[in-house]
Amino acid sequence: MSIVIRALILSLVGLLLFACTPITPYPSTPKQPDFDDIKDSGPEREIDTSHVPDAVPRHEVRTIAGNKNPYTVLGKTYYLLKDESSYKERGHASWYGNKFHGRRTSNGEIYDMYAMTAAHKTLPIPSYVRVTNIRNGKSVVVRVNDRGPFHSDRIIDLSYAAAQRIGILNAGTGMVDVEIVLPDDAPPAPLKANATNNVIAGSKLPANTHLQIGAFSSESSAKQFAAQVSGHLTYPVIISRNQTGKPIFRVRVGPITDARDLQQVRLDVKKLNIPEAHVVYE
């Protein structure tokens, strides 16, 4: 049988098989993941955040960013509280971590799961609330800078650090009391448009605030890494060694004194593809 005839036979067989194969139409639009499609998690190993201080209520200018009123999510419309000065509510708290870590919050800040922050559906941004676990009495003051949780049975979404502080990390949720905390019992600040950008104006950070970008068992490796990144960052890159136990050399950026500067450093670090950078206060 010649090569030409053999090729024709194979082609005819292929066409017959193709004609007998049912064709599945490609969807016109891909499925959009909902909130439960991607499971959330904390760091690979639990990080002790007991040294992270509570958020300190302070006067901040509220911008339009994060305070759209009303707004709609998943077909439901939410209206911000007109006066939150007497806000207090009991309900279930949840927490969020890696799924949103390093992404922008509703007001344009960068979500840091190691900071004392939270998401709330109707409180103005920013607001400060005290969250108390009614089972064990543990409480924490957090800064609301995000929207959520969009589940009917939950009233607040805590950061990883805040959830660890009040003891709901392992359970995932817990019954809590949430109560507004005003700076010096002052009335809430008014909303103001920010013509330059949509990020909250900078505010002072606690002393010795650093962004940790790496940890090494070898001092030479830590020094090499620090030398590689220092030229790309405006703040100093330092190496800190633990005082007890097995030597660990931590590479940190700082100290950082201003919240807006911290946000910019986080963006700069992200551009360097450095994973798991987190804020430390020591």
Side-chain angles (χ1 to χ4, degrees):
M1 184 182 294
S2 70
I3 295 176
V4 174
I5 295 175
R6 183 179 297 175
L8 288 171
I9 293 173
L10 291 174
S11 298
L12 288 171
V13 172
L15 288 171
L16 288 171
L17 291 173
F18 178 80
C20 296
T21 302
I23 299 175
T24 302
Y26 190 82
S28 57
T29 55
K31 178 182 181 296
Q32 296 299 315
D34 57 33
F35 287 99
D36 294 323
D37 281 342
I38 306 171
K39 299 301 181 183
D40 207 345
S41 64
E44 291 184 3
R45 57 180 180 83
E46 187 169 341
I47 295 177
D48 181 14
T49 59
S50 59
H51 64 282
V52 180
D54 285 9
V56 179
R58 56 185 179 271
H59 298 281
E60 296 184 68
V61 175
R62 288 175 175 161
T63 68
I64 300 302
N67 288 299
K68 183 179 179 181
N69 189 30
Y71 69 96
T72 302
V73 175
L74 299 177
K76 184 174 181 179
T77 300
Y78 298 88
Y79 296 85
L80 303 190
L81 295 176
K82 293 181 179 179
D83 179 8
E84 76 279 15
S85 59
S86 59
Y87 169 78
K88 186 174 183 179
E89 187 175 8
R90 173 171 290 189
H92 283 94
S94 51
W95 64 273
Y96 61 132
N98 277 323
K99 183 176 175 181
F100 297 95
H101 185 63
R103 294 171 60 180
R104 291 194 180 276
T105 63
S106 297
N107 68 340
E109 296 176 351
I110 302 299
Y111 174 59
D112 180 2
M113 66 179 179
Y114 303 106
M116 293 301 178
T117 62
H120 194 279
K121 293 187 281 285
T122 58
L123 280 172
I125 291 178
S127 294
Y128 294 84
V129 293
R130 178 176 287 103
V131 184
T132 304
N133 185 337
I134 65 173
R135 174 170 292 185
N136 58 23
K138 294 181 178 179
S139 67
V140 64
V141 176
V142 295
R143 179 174 177 267
V144 176
N145 68 345
D146 207 357
R147 289 287 171 232
F150 298 109
H151 296 266
S152 59
D153 60 339
R154 303 174 195 173
I155 62 172
I156 195 167
D157 227 358
L158 300 175
S159 66
Y160 170 87
Q164 185 186 79
R165 175 70 59 80
I166 67 171
I168 68 166
L169 200 59
N170 293 330
T173 61
M175 184 65 72
V176 298
D177 283 330
V178 182
E179 185 175 9
I180 196 73
V181 181
L182 298 175
D184 303 324
D185 294 324
L191 288 175
K192 292 184 180 180
N194 190 332
T196 56
N197 54 50
N198 288 332
V199 179
I200 291 292
S203 55
K204 294 300 179 183
L205 295 172
N208 296 319
T209 297
H210 293 78
L211 187 66
Q212 183 165 310
I213 58 176
F216 301 83
S217 58
S218 165
E219 184 176 12
S220 60
S221 297
K223 288 182 177 179
Q224 182 178 2
F225 176 68
Q228 290 174 345
V229 301
S230 61
H232 301 278
L233 302 172
T234 55
Y235 270 82
V237 178
I238 64 173
I239 298 174
S240 173
R241 177 179 174 173
N242 61 320
Q243 300 300 316
T244 59
K246 184 179 179 180
I248 299 176
F249 300 90
R250 301 181 176 93
V251 181
R252 295 173 172 174
V253 183
I256 304 171
T257 59
D258 183 87
R260 178 170 288 170
D261 287 352
L262 176 60
Q263 180 173 325
Q264 184 59 53
V265 173
R266 295 211 62 156
L267 290 173
D268 293 341
V269 166
K270 187 176 182 180
K271 292 177 184 177
L272 298 177
N273 295 318
I274 298 174
E276 298 187 10
H278 63 276
V279 179
V280 293
Y281 301 92
E282 58 181 23

